[in-house]
Amino acid sequence: MNIELMEALTLLEREKKISRETILEAIRKSLIQACKNNWKTEAENVVVNIDPETCEYEVYAMKTVVEQVEDELAQISLTNAKMIDSRYELGDVVRVNIKSKEFGRIATQNAKNVILQKIREEERRVLIEEYLEKEHDIVTGVVQRYFGKNVSINLGRADATLPPNEQMRGEVYRPNQRVKVYVLEVKDTPKGPKIQVSRTHPDLVKRLFEEEVTEVRDGTVEIRAIAREAGSRTKIAVWSNDPDVDPVGACVGLNGARVNAVVDELHGEKIDIINWDENPALLIENALSPAKVITVLADPDERSAKVVVPDYQLSLAIGKEGQNARLAARLTGFKIDIKNETQARESGDLLEYEEDYYEEEYDDYGEDYSEDGIWPEENSWPEAGAEPQEDIWPEAGADSQEGAWPEAGADTPEGTWPQDGAYPEGKTDDASGETEGTADDGSFAYQEDEGSAGEDGEE
């Protein structure tokens, strides 16, 4: 058993992540090359057998028996072959063991170089595969040093570069400081993998929430959109696939524990978490949080929206240097025009909204609905016993309107007016000074003169 070789292979396998089979194959090729270099031949008759369990190996050459030897590595004389076995004749193939310890210095050095080159190639390949798997993910590294404006960050088995345009504004990196970074790109180069990382990428926030929030990690809560200005503020829109799970509450955590862990990693960057909505208007309203919104007129085709906010909320909706509105626009993908209530009324935007809103409300009541709250046709009154509908006909005590409600003193056919409680209670007639009332049978009557009553009853 070759104990020294086994220990070396175990060490390489543990530290460099290089498999034992790969190194043994490299040793086999190096021994073959050493034989060719030692005898200065290109013969292909050298065989190397290595036992992967014990690391014992043997090297031998398959030589042809000839009368006159021209290639020592490929041929053997009949006399020498007879010394090995008397049965050998001309043309036979003899297996001859080769002692690798007898190789010259140059052959040995070449074999060593072959092994080292194979180890370096395999190490580079393993590193590339390892960090390609981490591309577009976050890793924890240790700050090494500044070179120029770039920061060198050690990721364990490889160094990454943090360029200035990927550094958070106002963030200072100290040697030996542990920091989480987002792997942007991994390139294969002759000197090993070239890794570029970022601290400003929006997906850094997403990956941090996946680490902190179980519901995000298992897919119960989805982060549908992210808008970020690194070092200052981030807005994320979340959606729950489970109606029993509050997506915002899950991301915030008990007493804000989860979101605070993300904020601490980002060194105090503010994070707004809102509910995602398929309705663009509601999504825009949520995105402008914490500002209150009066109306949102969204045009999905043009990807634009008009937003009206209370006068005192305009500066909050826009944010410092327009940050809140800018992040809301990035989050929703809409071009947002924000006006306060006074500006909207002056420009007619708010009036347009109100008209559209009430038209939609009217449509719910059918064709008999009237904008001024009265019945459209003369004598088109509700049937007896019908309950009054809000905004369709006047509440109790409302004045009659010509062409819709009968004037004071008008005859009322029996059964036309609703029963008591459905129609306005008694009121004073401005013309006669008398009152109107409800008959015993539930129908309605007007009093025209003192002592007289309508058709259906007396006062």
Side-chain angles (χ1 to χ4, degrees), residues 405-447:
W405 294 93
E407 298 180 357
D411 291 336
T412 309
E414 183 177 358
T416 303
W417 292 96
Q419 297 180 4
D420 188 22
Y423 182 71
E425 297 179 358
K427 69 177 182 64
T428 299
D429 176 18
D430 294 337
S432 62
E434 301 298 335
T435 60
E436 55 184 284
T438 306
D440 294 336
D441 61 357
S443 61
F444 194 84
Y446 283 98
Q447 277 194 336

Side-chain angles (χ1 to χ4, degrees), residues 9-177:
L9 293 177
T10 302
L11 186 64
L12 285 172
E13 196 170 21
R14 182 175 63 250
E15 293 186 355
K16 304 292 186 180
K17 309 295 182 184
I18 303 175
S19 65
R20 174 174 299 194
E21 291 75 13
T22 301
I23 300 301
L24 290 177
E25 178 62 21
I27 294 174
R28 189 184 71 81
K29 290 182 178 179
S30 68
L31 289 173
I32 293 175
Q33 187 63 40
C35 289
K36 293 180 179 181
N37 292 337
N38 190 63
W39 277 282
K40 296 180 176 58
T41 180
E42 293 297 328
E44 299 295 334
N45 62 322
V46 179
V47 179
V48 178
N49 289 331
I50 303 178
D51 186 342
E53 298 297 330
T54 62
C55 291
E56 292 290 342
Y57 66 93
E58 61 175 346
V59 183
Y60 56 88
M62 305 302 294
K63 298 183 179 183
T64 304
V65 180
V66 295
E67 291 184 355
Q68 185 67 32
V69 176
E70 297 179 357
D71 187 342
E72 293 184 3
L73 186 61
Q75 299 172 344
I76 186 173
S77 65
L78 180 59
T79 303
N80 290 335
K82 293 286 187 181
M83 294 176 61
I84 298 174
D85 193 326
S86 60
R87 293 174 295 178
Y88 283 125
E89 300 294 338
L90 293 174
D92 290 343
V93 178
V94 181
R95 174 174 169 173
V96 181
N97 289 329
I98 299 174
K99 297 180 180 180
S100 58
K101 293 182 180 180
E102 297 177 356
F103 291 166
R105 180 181 61 83
I106 296 177
T108 304
Q109 185 65 35
N110 289 339
K112 175 183 176 182
N113 291 338
V114 170
I115 296 174
L116 292 177
Q117 179 65 21
K118 184 61 178 180
I119 291 175
R120 283 193 294 267
E121 290 177 357
E122 190 65 18
E123 183 181 7
R124 184 167 63 249
R125 186 190 65 80
V126 170
L127 281 176
I128 288 294
E129 291 181 355
E130 177 181 344
Y131 285 100
L132 276 175
E133 293 178 357
K134 296 179 180 180
E135 196 172 26
H136 308 308
D137 202 350
I138 61 171
V139 294
T140 301
V142 178
V143 177
Q144 298 286 86
R145 60 187 177 85
Y146 276 91
F147 57 99
K149 294 184 178 180
N150 298 305
V151 180
S152 175
I153 298 178
N154 182 266
L155 302 182
R157 300 183 59 209
D159 288 341
T161 301
L162 181 64
N165 61 321
E166 299 295 342
Q167 299 173 18
M168 289 175 57
R169 183 177 59 185
E171 195 171 48
V172 179
Y173 304 98
R174 300 180 302 275
N176 299 322
Q177 173 188 351

Side-chain angles (χ1 to χ4, degrees), residues 8 35 60 64 70 103 183 198 213 228 259 272 403 421 444 450 457:
C35 289
Y60 56 88
T64 304
E70 297 179 357
F103 291 166
V183 180
S198 172
V213 183
R228 185 184 185 204
V259 69
D272 296 338
F444 194 84
E450 183 177 356

Side-chain angles (χ1 to χ4, degrees), residues 69-353:
V69 176
E70 297 179 357
D71 187 342
E72 293 184 3
L73 186 61
Q75 299 172 344
I76 186 173
S77 65
L78 180 59
T79 303
N80 290 335
K82 293 286 187 181
M83 294 176 61
I84 298 174
D85 193 326
S86 60
R87 293 174 295 178
Y88 283 125
E89 300 294 338
L90 293 174
D92 290 343
V93 178
V94 181
R95 174 174 169 173
V96 181
N97 289 329
I98 299 174
K99 297 180 180 180
S100 58
K101 293 182 180 180
E102 297 177 356
F103 291 166
R105 180 181 61 83
I106 296 177
T108 304
Q109 185 65 35
N110 289 339
K112 175 183 176 182
N113 291 338
V114 170
I115 296 174
L116 292 177
Q117 179 65 21
K118 184 61 178 180
I119 291 175
R120 283 193 294 267
E121 290 177 357
E122 190 65 18
E123 183 181 7
R124 184 167 63 249
R125 186 190 65 80
V126 170
L127 281 176
I128 288 294
E129 291 181 355
E130 177 181 344
Y131 285 100
L132 276 175
E133 293 178 357
K134 296 179 180 180
E135 196 172 26
H136 308 308
D137 202 350
I138 61 171
V139 294
T140 301
V142 178
V143 177
Q144 298 286 86
R145 60 187 177 85
Y146 276 91
F147 57 99
K149 294 184 178 180
N150 298 305
V151 180
S152 175
I153 298 178
N154 182 266
L155 302 182
R157 300 183 59 209
D159 288 341
T161 301
L162 181 64
N165 61 321
E166 299 295 342
Q167 299 173 18
M168 289 175 57
R169 183 177 59 185
E171 195 171 48
V172 179
Y173 304 98
R174 300 180 302 275
N176 299 322
Q177 173 188 351
R178 297 184 66 84
V179 62
K180 291 185 178 180
V181 292
Y182 180 81
V183 180
L184 281 177
E185 186 180 31
V186 179
K187 290 183 178 179
D188 187 11
T189 67
K191 295 183 179 180
K194 182 180 180 181
I195 306 171
Q196 185 173 331
V197 295
S198 172
R199 286 278 293 173
T200 62
H201 200 282
D203 281 350
L204 174 64
V205 180
K206 182 178 181 180
R207 298 301 184 191
L208 289 173
F209 270 102
E210 288 178 354
E211 285 190 348
E212 295 293 335
V213 183
T214 307
E215 292 81 356
V216 175
R217 187 164 56 251
D218 63 20
T220 304
V221 175
E222 295 181 20
I223 298 178
R224 291 289 184 88
I226 299 179
R228 185 184 185 204
E229 291 189 358
S232 180
R233 192 171 188 174
T234 294
K235 284 181 180 286
I236 67 173
V238 294
W239 171 267
S240 176
N241 293 313
D242 186 342
D244 295 329
V245 176
D246 175 21
V248 175
C251 292
V252 172
L254 183 63
N255 296 326
R258 291 175 169 178
V259 69
N260 285 340
V262 178
V263 170
D264 291 343
E265 178 59 37
L266 298 177
H267 296 169
E269 182 175 318
K270 296 179 181 178
I271 298 179
D272 296 338
I273 306 174
I274 68 166
N275 281 307
W276 172 269
D277 202 296
E278 297 295 340
N279 186 326
L282 294 178
L283 178 60
I284 292 170
E285 180 179 350
N286 294 340
L288 288 172
S289 175
K292 305 298 181 183
V293 175
I294 297 177
T295 65
V296 178
L297 294 174
D299 186 347
D301 296 330
E302 297 292 332
R303 304 297 293 176
S304 63
K306 296 179 181 179
V307 179
V308 180
V309 300
D311 292 352
Y312 67 94
Q313 291 276 297
L314 181 61
S315 60
L316 183 61
I318 295 175
K320 183 180 180 182
E321 298 178 354
Q323 184 184 67
N324 193 57
R326 188 165 56 250
L327 287 175
R330 292 179 188 172
L331 188 73
T332 61
F334 277 70
K335 181 181 179 181
I336 301 176
D337 180 18
I338 303 177
K339 294 182 180 179
N340 60 24
E341 188 174 2
T342 301
Q343 292 172 334
R345 290 191 183 279
E346 291 176 354
S347 63
D349 290 340
L350 189 58
L351 180 61
E352 177 185 348
Y353 165 79

